[in-house]
Amino acid sequence: MMLSASPNTLAKSSLEEMLESLRQKDECDRLPKDMPPALPSRPNSRARLPSARRSLPAKFNVSSVVEDQNGSVASAAETESERREEGGKRKEKDLGVKRNSFGSKKMRTGLKSESPYVAEKEDEVGVKVSTVPVENTEEHKPEWNNNVEYFIKKKLRVWCRVANGQWQLGRIQSTSADSSLVMLSTANVVKVSTEELFPANPDILEGVEDLIQLSYLNEPSVLYNLRVRYSQDVIYSKAGPVLIAVNPFKNVEIYGNDFISAYQKKAVDAPHVYAVADAAYDEMMREEKNQSIIISGESGAGKTETAKFAMQYLAALGGGSCGVEYEILKTTCILEAFGNAKTSRNANSSRFGKLTEIHFSALGKICGAKLETFLLEKSRVVQLFNGERSYHIFYELCAGASPILKERLKLKTASEYTYLSQSDCLTIEGVDDAQKFHKLLEAFDIVQIPKEHQERAFALLAAVLWLGNVSFRVTDNENHVEVVADEAVTNAAMLMGCKSEELMVVLCTRKLQAGTDCIAKKLTLRQATDMRDGIAKFIYANLFGWLVEQINIALEVGKSRTGRSISILDIYGFESFKNNSFEQFCINYANERLQQHFNRHLFKLEQEEYEEDGIDWTKVEFVDNQECLDLIEKKPIGLLSLLDEESNFPKATDLTFANKLKQHLKTNSCFKGERGRAFRVNHYAGEVLYDTNGFLEKNRDPLPADLINLLSSCDCQLLKLFSTKMRDKSQKPLMLSDSTNQTVGTKFKGQLFKLMNTLENTSPHFIRCIKPNSKQRPRVYEEDLVLQQLRCCGVLEVVRISRSGYPTRLTHQEFAGRYGFLLSDKNVSEDPLSVSIAVLKQYDVHPKMYQVGYTKLYLRTGQIGIFEDRRRKVLQGIVGLQKHFRGHLSREYFQNMRAVALVLQSYVRGENARRMYDAEAKIHADSVSEASTDELNAVIHLQSAVRGWLARKRFSSMQRQKELLSVTTKSKKKAGRRSSEDKDIPLEQFQVQPTTMSDLQKRVLKSEAALAQKEEENTALREQLRQFEERWSEYEVKMKSMEDTWQKQMSSLQMSLAAARKSLATESITGQAGGRQDTSISPFGYESEDTMSTGTPGVRTPTTKFTNGNTPELRIRELNGSLNAVNHLAREFDQRRLNFDEDARAIVEVKLGVGPQATPNGQQQQHPEDEFRRLKQRFETWKKDYKARLRDTKARLHRVDGDKGRHRKWWGKRG
């Protein structure tokens, strides 16, 4: 057993721990920089030393050790001190907890590696209690005087508890004996016991994400850290492997698609429920092992909402194309409506347990789900305490049902039903029941529950409400009753599908079988009321179970089941009300089992593994609730066993049951009997007072045969289904293995063991929900309430184990197989242990950072990352080298194969071609017939005829050429003969006179001179013509620029005249219509050159070729005349444009002046509009004349250059 000490010594231990670490830090500062930091030394002995929180008393010695009746070891001085100073104890008695030392034989019995949750083993073996000898018995004498001086010298802050019980920060001013003076942050100085001081963490560690990061781990430091984060709306923190979630009681902006995406991409690592779900998913995919997320906490701590956020993340992470993940999310809405209710501590309390098992495919996509529920609180349907509500669905149905549905179900408001109005609480602040009902209908449709099934369920809900309004009337002195025939009975019978008379008979009478006779016995008022409430509870409980079955059918996995799943457990939290009945007892029992599962995985199994593998380890204490579980489960004197035993006695009452409990369980420290029917149980979360009133009846849960017969005869299909199942169960023989015939308590125990067995086969992930205040208000932090919950769930012990433990554990074979290739020394022995140690030495891992066990290697947090990083780098280098070498081999192999393939392909293709040719030739030869031969002969005959015709034609041509050649030869011969005859004429006949010859010579000379003169003239004319052509080009360019200028000027003139016309029109009083119309057109009707063009073809440029008998001189004169005419027209155009502009401006100026003005001739000017009309008429006359002259000029130019190239000029454009 562990050595126990007074709780007052805890402060001394924590302070010593802080001072020791400070001394070690000072020593480390004096050491060389290259040396590793000093860590707490491991104990030299394998003995189980006390934890840091429980140090031995200063005057402890071996002789003072005594053994109490439970086998725990304690000192005599402590025992005497506990008798004298009970007020100095920590609130163990008030909390109802007992701190057992882990490692004792009692705790290690049957807890090694097998699961304790085996339903078949009903009998439990008695537990032996023994002590463990204490090895380190030296007197422990802390030097408080030196420590305090060092503490004062460093001016370190401490936590001290003030008079009101709150923790405050301060600094020690002085000390004397066992007390110290501490100056608080408020400047007040208080005197406290030195043992009540706890070291405080530096400011830099305020609000850390993981409590492991705290330098000094104690209760006030943990409380302060959570409070700092809670004030910043950071509700999630880590305590080692456990996520702590503090209920904010308001909406916090830390959820949604953006946060889901961030955690999916591993961009955020802050504590969050998303991070827990992501870790569970990754571990499931990596290790192919089922996972579980266990959410626990008190009622109102936020378990249901946390479970919804976990499911939301998994749905986004494993969402597929079938959309089943959306259906899974919507099941929460349905189950909340039918299974949640408002209690005095929680507005949305789960009144049932739920295990959601989400299945994934091999690719990690959600392929289905399965729901399993536990112990629905049926009594809430018929009985409510003040300020509470029944299940949400009743209020939502009354508020949100459509008028047609209300008429069909005969629904009224919630206040008119007895079952709902008995608690004087019909609404929840901030909750719209009608809107919730509409969301429920949407969820029904998404989960694919048919409309017909929905209406049947609503009909049964309405029947339950009307049953609550059924009243009874006493008929005799024996308190026998009969049912009042009113609308309640009529409507209830109508909705159930039976006759109202039959329902009235069942409610007020009970049939008893006496041999072959059947006797009808009237019921008393109490019995009739219980019968009515029993029908209502039976209908609602079976309806809830049927609804879960329909959901499971819709979410069925089917053939895609792979065995990979993540289970989310959302079960009712620990409850302690003013009146606690059978339901609260079952709920708290379930929480005890979950706490044991928590302890088993985080404390027992881990520390047992350390011990069994032979590593040095200092035990960490934790609150073990095994004794409370033995009180409830142990046979044959466990609480459930006694309850079942008493339930089998017909004359047993709740009082006799309470007396039996006090008689058999009084020796158990977790049980305390009270007066009357009450008793107390010290649960892990606190002491709860139970009232046995109704325990036996609720445990039996009887249902008369009359009621089953009535339900089976109803027209309602669901009631027939429920009654058939109940009849089948009642007709089965009673078997120990058959849970259907067991009591409610035993059946619930079996379900709980089955649940625990399921969780044992998964890798658990724990989320602890904390309720910060009992008023359910945001930003309110009650330290005592939070501290109690932290103590109950063992947060400090979890952090201590995580900080001092070895979270990474690998067998020697696994470690050597994964990191053995990193060894540079190949002379190491090949056994896994030698390889593991060699790898550790090669990378200089400090001996304090690992321990070598018999079968495994244990590494502290972060050490495995060193090897993983080095392994990754080495593997990357190896893969790179292999990549290049394999690439080279592949390329070389490819080239060789390609060359061989080309040669082979050439031979193959040649052989194939030859074979194909032979085959085609053979086929062609076989297919040739006489018809084809005749055709071939005909073609050959035709070709021969054509060739003959061509040959004859060629021959005829050659013959004609030959004849022509012969004729030419003959003519040449005749000419030769004639020339020879001429030669034969005498020379005397050809003699000429000398005078004639001289005349001829003179005439020849004169002709040559005239010819030379003409050539000179032609040369001059050509030069002159070239000059005229250049001038013509210049004039052509000038005419083009004149055209552009003219167009611009015409546009300007038109704009000016239009402005003048507009000004005249606006100023005119009468405003003649003709004048207004003229303002929209050009005043003078100027047209562009395109418009004035008559469409004559483009003028030809002059050439040196003289045609039609024209001489160059005449052509030049005509060209000069045309050019002069063009120049004249251009000058006339400029002059006329200036004149018209001046006249137009004058008219405008006159219009803008005051009254008419004199003209230059001294005459009085007429009206401006008349002047404008005359000016326009002059312009039209000039324009007509100008266009005629322009056409004449263009015609002349066309005649002069008629044979020039046909490119068009500016006057040749068509309008």
Side-chain angles (χ1 to χ4, degrees), residues 542-600:
N542 283 273
L543 176 62
F544 183 79
W546 171 82
L547 194 59
V548 173
E549 291 177 1
Q550 299 302 311
I551 294 175
N552 284 333
I553 293 174
L555 304 180
E556 190 174 4
V557 181
K559 297 181 180 180
S560 58
R561 180 187 296 270
T562 60
R564 299 179 182 178
S565 65
I566 297 178
S567 300
I568 301 177
L569 179 63
D570 175 21
I571 202 166
Y572 16 61
F574 182 84
E575 292 183 348
S576 179
F577 301 120
K578 184 177 181 180
N579 296 316
N580 299 285
S581 186
F582 180 74
E583 290 79 11
Q584 280 69 41
F585 173 76
C586 292
I587 289 172
N588 294 337
Y589 168 45
N591 280 270
E592 288 286 351
R593 262 295 158 201
L594 289 176
Q595 180 66 22
Q596 180 69 10
H597 181 71
F598 178 82
N599 293 342
R600 173 178 169 78

Side-chain angles (χ1 to χ4, degrees), residues 14 83 86 94 121 164 394 462 572 624 657 696 771 797 878 885 918 1174:
S14 301
R83 295 194 189 102
E86 292 184 358
D94 296 336
K121 298 181 180 180
N164 59 0
F394 292 115
Y572 16 61
D624 189 9
F657 170 63
L696 296 180
K771 185 177 181 179
E797 289 79 4
I878 293 173
F885 182 70
D918 293 340
R1174 284 195 293 273

Side-chain angles (χ1 to χ4, degrees), residues 484-631:
V484 177
D486 54 7
E487 64 170 351
V489 177
T490 304
N491 292 337
M494 183 269 297
L495 294 170
M496 293 171 61
C498 64
K499 297 180 180 180
S500 58
E501 294 79 5
E502 296 177 353
L503 179 60
M504 294 170 63
V505 170
V506 171
L507 289 177
C508 63
T509 60
R510 178 179 299 175
K511 293 181 180 180
L512 301 177
Q513 193 73 25
T516 58
D517 299 332
C518 184
I519 303 174
K521 180 183 178 181
K522 289 187 177 183
L523 301 179
T524 62
L525 180 60
R526 175 62 182 275
Q527 293 173 340
T529 303
D530 291 342
M531 176 64 74
R532 178 199 64 187
D533 295 343
I535 297 175
K537 292 189 292 184
F538 173 82
I539 293 176
Y540 191 81
N542 283 273
L543 176 62
F544 183 79
W546 171 82
L547 194 59
V548 173
E549 291 177 1
Q550 299 302 311
I551 294 175
N552 284 333
I553 293 174
L555 304 180
E556 190 174 4
V557 181
K559 297 181 180 180
S560 58
R561 180 187 296 270
T562 60
R564 299 179 182 178
S565 65
I566 297 178
S567 300
I568 301 177
L569 179 63
D570 175 21
I571 202 166
Y572 16 61
F574 182 84
E575 292 183 348
S576 179
F577 301 120
K578 184 177 181 180
N579 296 316
N580 299 285
S581 186
F582 180 74
E583 290 79 11
Q584 280 69 41
F585 173 76
C586 292
I587 289 172
N588 294 337
Y589 168 45
N591 280 270
E592 288 286 351
R593 262 295 158 201
L594 289 176
Q595 180 66 22
Q596 180 69 10
H597 181 71
F598 178 82
N599 293 342
R600 173 178 169 78
H601 279 272
L602 294 184
F603 298 116
K604 295 183 179 181
L605 294 180
E606 183 170 355
Q607 297 193 92
E608 281 182 358
E609 184 177 359
Y610 293 159
E611 188 175 69
E612 291 173 0
D613 215 20
I615 68 171
D616 292 332
W617 173 255
T618 301
K619 292 292 181 178
V620 175
E621 284 187 350
F622 62 92
V623 180
D624 189 9
N625 64 336
Q626 185 61 48
E627 188 173 3
C628 184
L629 287 174
D630 292 341
L631 170 69

Side-chain angles (χ1 to χ4, degrees), residues 542-786:
N542 283 273
L543 176 62
F544 183 79
W546 171 82
L547 194 59
V548 173
E549 291 177 1
Q550 299 302 311
I551 294 175
N552 284 333
I553 293 174
L555 304 180
E556 190 174 4
V557 181
K559 297 181 180 180
S560 58
R561 180 187 296 270
T562 60
R564 299 179 182 178
S565 65
I566 297 178
S567 300
I568 301 177
L569 179 63
D570 175 21
I571 202 166
Y572 16 61
F574 182 84
E575 292 183 348
S576 179
F577 301 120
K578 184 177 181 180
N579 296 316
N580 299 285
S581 186
F582 180 74
E583 290 79 11
Q584 280 69 41
F585 173 76
C586 292
I587 289 172
N588 294 337
Y589 168 45
N591 280 270
E592 288 286 351
R593 262 295 158 201
L594 289 176
Q595 180 66 22
Q596 180 69 10
H597 181 71
F598 178 82
N599 293 342
R600 173 178 169 78
H601 279 272
L602 294 184
F603 298 116
K604 295 183 179 181
L605 294 180
E606 183 170 355
Q607 297 193 92
E608 281 182 358
E609 184 177 359
Y610 293 159
E611 188 175 69
E612 291 173 0
D613 215 20
I615 68 171
D616 292 332
W617 173 255
T618 301
K619 292 292 181 178
V620 175
E621 284 187 350
F622 62 92
V623 180
D624 189 9
N625 64 336
Q626 185 61 48
E627 188 173 3
C628 184
L629 287 174
D630 292 341
L631 170 69
I632 299 173
E633 299 174 348
K634 191 174 181 181
K635 288 188 176 183
I637 55 172
L639 200 150
L640 287 177
S641 300
L642 296 176
L643 178 60
D644 289 345
E645 179 182 337
E646 198 70 8
S647 298
N648 293 329
F649 291 113
K651 295 184 179 181
T653 62
D654 296 329
L655 182 59
T656 60
F657 170 63
N659 293 332
K660 181 174 286 190
L661 292 180
K662 297 171 188 177
Q663 179 183 356
H664 292 86
L665 303 178
K666 61 183 178 181
T667 58
N668 193 302
S669 60
C670 294
F671 179 85
K672 182 179 179 181
E674 297 289 341
R675 291 183 180 181
R677 299 174 300 186
F679 65 93
R680 295 181 183 271
V681 176
N682 286 330
H683 291 283
Y684 78 95
E687 189 177 74
V688 180
L689 176 65
Y690 296 102
D691 188 355
T692 59
N693 183 25
F695 262 61
L696 296 180
E697 190 70 16
K698 293 176 181 178
N699 188 48
R700 295 180 184 130
D701 194 21
L703 195 66
D706 301 347
L707 178 58
I708 298 178
N709 295 332
L710 174 65
L711 297 178
S712 62
S713 64
C714 293
D715 296 335
C716 180
Q717 298 296 327
L718 291 180
L719 292 181
K720 285 185 177 181
L721 177 64
F722 302 158
S723 61
T724 302
K725 290 183 179 180
M726 183 58 63
R727 180 181 287 112
D728 294 341
K729 293 178 181 179
S730 62
Q731 292 177 354
K732 288 182 179 181
L734 182 61
M735 299 176 60
L736 294 177
S737 62
D738 188 5
S739 61
T740 58
N741 293 313
Q742 295 174 351
T743 59
V744 174
T746 304
K747 189 187 303 182
F748 180 67
K749 177 182 176 182
Q751 291 179 341
L752 202 55
F753 268 70
K754 181 181 177 182
L755 170 64
M756 293 296 109
N757 192 32
T758 301
L759 297 179
E760 281 290 323
N761 295 324
T762 63
S763 296
H765 302 265
F766 295 99
I767 301 178
R768 285 289 189 175
C769 297
I770 301 297
K771 185 177 181 179
N773 62 82
S774 57
K775 299 178 181 178
Q776 303 182 23
R777 294 180 180 177
R779 292 190 175 274
V780 178
Y781 189 84
E782 298 177 3
E783 290 187 351
D784 292 340
L785 180 61
V786 175

Side-chain angles (χ1 to χ4, degrees), residues 113-339:
S113 61
E114 301 86 2
S115 172
Y117 309 111
V118 181
E120 289 79 11
K121 298 181 180 180
E122 296 292 343
D123 297 333
E124 297 187 9
V125 182
V127 181
K128 295 183 179 180
V129 179
S130 63
T131 61
V132 177
V134 180
E135 296 184 11
N136 292 343
T137 58
E138 296 181 1
E139 188 175 7
H140 182 71
K141 295 181 180 180
E143 299 178 1
W144 276 106
N145 294 332
N146 296 336
N147 289 344
V148 171
E149 291 177 1
Y150 183 83
F151 195 78
I152 296 174
K153 179 181 178 181
K154 292 293 183 179
K155 296 182 179 180
L156 300 175
R157 298 186 305 172
V158 296
W159 288 104
C160 64
R161 190 186 294 272
V162 295
N164 59 0
Q166 300 294 322
W167 293 98
Q168 290 192 14
L169 286 170
R171 287 182 170 84
I172 299 177
Q173 301 298 312
S174 61
T175 182
S176 60
D178 294 336
S179 62
S180 300
L181 294 178
V182 180
M183 177 177 289
L184 304 177
S185 56
T186 58
N188 295 331
V189 179
V190 295
K191 183 177 181 181
V192 296
S193 174
T194 306
E195 297 179 352
E196 293 290 338
L197 298 179
F198 288 84
N201 291 280
D203 294 339
I204 196 174
L205 295 180
E206 286 187 1
V208 294
E209 294 180 346
D210 197 338
L211 298 180
I212 292 179
Q213 301 174 10
L214 295 177
S215 299
Y216 309 114
L217 186 64
N218 47 60
E219 290 179 350
S221 295
V222 172
L223 283 173
Y224 180 72
N225 192 81
L226 294 179
R227 183 175 62 187
V228 169
R229 295 176 64 82
Y230 183 71
S231 63
Q232 300 171 356
D233 289 339
V234 183
I235 63 174
Y236 292 111
S237 303
K238 289 186 65 178
V242 180
L243 178 70
I244 298 177
V246 184
N247 193 345
F249 292 114
K250 65 176 183 178
N251 293 327
V252 184
E253 299 298 330
I254 57 174
Y255 307 101
N257 294 331
D258 294 339
F259 287 91
I260 291 176
S261 177
Y263 279 95
Q264 284 180 352
K265 298 176 182 177
K266 306 296 188 293
V268 182
D269 59 353
H272 202 286
V273 64
Y274 291 164
V276 175
D278 186 76
Y281 180 84
D282 290 343
E283 187 173 348
M284 177 196 68
M285 297 300 297
R286 182 177 62 252
E287 300 182 4
E288 297 185 359
K289 184 178 180 182
N290 294 339
Q291 308 292 311
S292 61
I293 300 176
I294 302 174
I295 306 172
S296 58
E298 289 191 5
S299 178
K303 299 183 298 300
T304 301
E305 294 298 320
T306 303
K308 287 196 290 187
F309 289 128
M311 293 173 63
Q312 179 188 24
Y313 184 83
L314 291 177
L317 200 62
S321 59
C322 59
V324 67
E325 67 279 356
Y326 194 51
E327 297 180 19
I328 295 174
L329 293 178
K330 287 302 178 180
T331 59
T332 305
C333 177
I334 299 174
L335 294 179
E336 276 192 13
F338 283 84

Side-chain angles (χ1 to χ4, degrees), residues 470-476 479-486 504 508 522-525 528:
V470 173
S471 58
F472 302 95
R473 180 172 56 247
V474 178
T475 59
D476 53 24
N479 206 24
H480 293 153
V481 296
E482 64 180 12
V483 179
V484 177
D486 54 7
M504 294 170 63
C508 63
K522 289 187 177 183
L523 301 179
T524 62
L525 180 60

Side-chain angles (χ1 to χ4, degrees), residues 1024 1028 1111-1124 1196 1200:
Q1024 190 176 3
F1028 278 116
T1111 61
E1113 292 84 359
L1114 179 61
R1115 185 178 180 86
I1116 290 171
R1117 286 194 297 271
E1118 292 177 355
L1119 181 62
N1120 288 335
S1122 299
L1123 294 177
N1124 291 333
R1196 292 172 58 190
V1200 171

